Amino acid sequence: MTGGAGFVGSRLALAFRREHPAAEVIALDNLRRRGAETNLARLAEGGVTFVHGDVRVRSDLDQVEGPVDVLVDASAEASVLAGVTGSPSYVLETNLGGTINCLDWARGRAGAVLFLSTSRAYSIAPLRDLALEETATRYELAAEQAVPGVSPAGIAEDFPTHLPRSFYGASKLASEMLVQEYADSYGLKAVITRCGVITGAGQFGKSEQGVFAMWAANHVLDKPLRYIGFDGAGKQVRDLMHPEDLWDLLRRQLDGLEACSGRVFNAGGGREMSVSLLELTAICRELTGHEVPMSSEARTSPVDIPVYLSDHARATRELGWRPTWTPTEMMREIVEWVRANEDLLRPVFS
């Protein structure tokens, strides 16, 4: 498991170990993201072996002696703002260079590769131009759209990817292409999962990545929040997915590996598990009993979009998968985690 000490990677590593208690599960991580080091004790308690390493350094991967049954690549610089105001070298070296190193390591050593990609592979311009309907608390996708791959259920796998999509999105899309090339050229069994927003306890959220965990934590800690972009109304919408739901999908992909290999699957909460920031505020107020100061900023980032919903019909139809955790359940888990670890987490969320 690369990125194995991160929020998603650590949850998946522990889930693998829980389901396969006799297996050796190895988590490799460079611990660059603040808070990742706090997951090491949980990994050890769960029987997961930690290896300190960086996917950008090919020799670091050789610390793990193959063969392995499956390599899950959960490593990423996951901020859509990465490289926007400075050099994109780190996001490209990690997300693309790291994928190349992982694939080259896996060739001949791994029975399968599960590559975690992102909904940010879809192009920004058509996402910004979607036909929307505005309600009192959110934006909704209109039934009639001018581009393929979109419906009120969300964005499907055939939505356009050929236009700019951020350095983060571009690095993951390029990695997807290489995953497919390795699968085709070397017979490597590999599945690509385009994840929407993933959240839950253990996520050290920031405004540019992990905003939903930050929203819940700030309510617990009585810290101010701000609606940014789209007139500062808080009506932008995302669907949310819990790591346990992602784990369930990966299990199903492994069970159906022959049919899934080389293919792309959307994974996200979909319309049913979506929420606007305005609606999220109401949920957090209800769960915490706190009403934190709220402000607004109308300016919209060029990489931000008003609505993203994952149309997961392919995974549902072919693998019988659908998400089960609701936004309220995910926020409740985060609230309880922050309350139980407030002294530790207050400086992390500062």
Side-chain angles (χ1 to χ4, degrees):
M1 177 81 62
T2 64
F7 163 58
V8 174
S10 63
R11 296 289 293 253
L12 292 178
L14 290 167
F16 266 98
R17 190 68 169 76
R18 183 184 69 228
E19 182 129 336
H20 303 283
E24 181 181 13
V25 179
I26 300 170
L28 182 143
D29 201 291
N30 66 1
L31 300 180
R32 183 176 190 269
R33 184 173 177 85
R34 187 179 185 187
E37 70 282 355
T38 66
N39 290 324
L40 299 184
R42 291 177 53 247
L43 290 172
E45 290 168 5
V48 176
T49 301
F50 173 71
V51 173
H52 189 269
D54 195 316
V55 293
R56 296 175 298 166
V57 182
R58 175 64 176 80
S59 59
D60 280 8
L61 297 173
D62 290 330
Q63 297 178 83
V64 180
E65 297 182 359
V68 299
D69 294 317
V70 58
L71 168 64
V72 180
D73 186 3
S75 61
E77 167 52 65
S79 172
V80 71
L81 297 177
V84 171
T85 58
S87 171
S89 61
Y90 182 78
V91 64
L92 297 179
E93 290 168 3
T94 299
N95 295 357
L96 181 54
T99 298
I100 294 170
N101 287 335
C102 288
L103 290 171
D104 200 50
W105 183 92
R107 182 164 57 98
R109 299 198 204 190
V113 171
L114 301 182
F115 178 71
L116 300 190
S117 188
T118 173
S119 60
R120 282 293 185 171
Y122 299 116
S123 298
I124 291 175
L127 287 171
R128 290 284 289 261
D129 291 339
L130 292 173
L132 304 176
E133 296 175 354
E134 186 175 357
T135 73
T137 61
R138 62 158 58 199
Y139 297 120
E140 296 275 16
L141 293 173
E144 298 295 326
Q145 300 286 344
V147 295
V150 59
S151 72
I155 305 302
E157 290 87 351
D158 57 344
F159 190 83
T161 60
H162 66 288
L163 296 171
R165 60 206 68 69
S166 78
F167 286 112
Y168 168 48
S171 65
K172 297 299 275 187
L173 182 61
S175 294
E176 289 184 15
M177 295 178 183
L178 288 175
V179 169
Q180 291 175 321
E181 293 300 328
Y182 270 74
D184 184 68
S185 297
Y186 303 117
L188 180 65
K189 302 299 183 185
V191 187
I192 298 160
T193 303
R194 285 183 185 153
C195 299
V197 175
I198 308 172
T199 196
Q203 185 176 36
F204 300 100
K206 300 185 292 184
S207 59
E208 69 271 21
Q209 199 270 325
V211 66
F212 294 93
M214 184 193 78
W215 219 260
N218 279 28
H219 274 81
V220 174
L221 302 173
D222 282 316
K223 294 166 58 67
L225 288 164
R226 180 169 48 173
Y227 299 126
I228 300 176
F230 306 103
D231 297 323
K235 293 186 178 183
Q236 57 264 56
V237 172
R238 298 292 186 272
D239 60 343
L240 307 183
M241 178 173 61
H242 192 272
E244 288 294 332
D245 282 331
L246 176 58
W247 158 242
D248 181 45
L249 176 58
L250 298 188
R251 279 193 313 139
R252 293 168 187 263
Q253 290 172 345
L254 287 173
D255 289 343
L257 191 58
E258 289 295 330
C260 293
S261 184
R263 303 185 61 211
V264 177
F265 292 87
N266 275 351
R271 173 61 182 82
E272 185 179 2
M273 306 302 185
S274 69
V275 67
S276 71
L277 285 180
L278 198 60
E279 293 163 349
L280 185 71
T281 299
I283 291 172
C284 292
R285 285 173 177 170
E286 178 69 22
L287 291 173
T288 65
H290 297 170
E291 186 166 342
V292 304
M294 302 293 301
S295 60
S296 297
E297 181 178 325
R299 178 189 59 84
T300 302
S301 166
V303 297
D304 203 0
I305 55 178
V307 175
Y308 183 82
L309 305 175
S310 302
D311 184 347
H312 53 74
R314 177 179 293 176
T316 300
R317 181 178 63 251
E318 299 187 19
L319 299 172
W321 176 83
R322 63 175 60 252
T324 60
W325 282 66
T326 69
T328 297
E329 290 169 338
M330 287 180 257
M331 293 305 107
R332 180 179 293 113
E333 184 188 66
I334 298 169
V335 165
E336 292 174 354
W337 167 62
V338 176
R339 282 177 168 164
N341 301 277
E342 185 169 337
D343 290 342
L344 173 68
L345 296 178
R346 185 174 288 276
V348 176
F349 281 102
S350 63

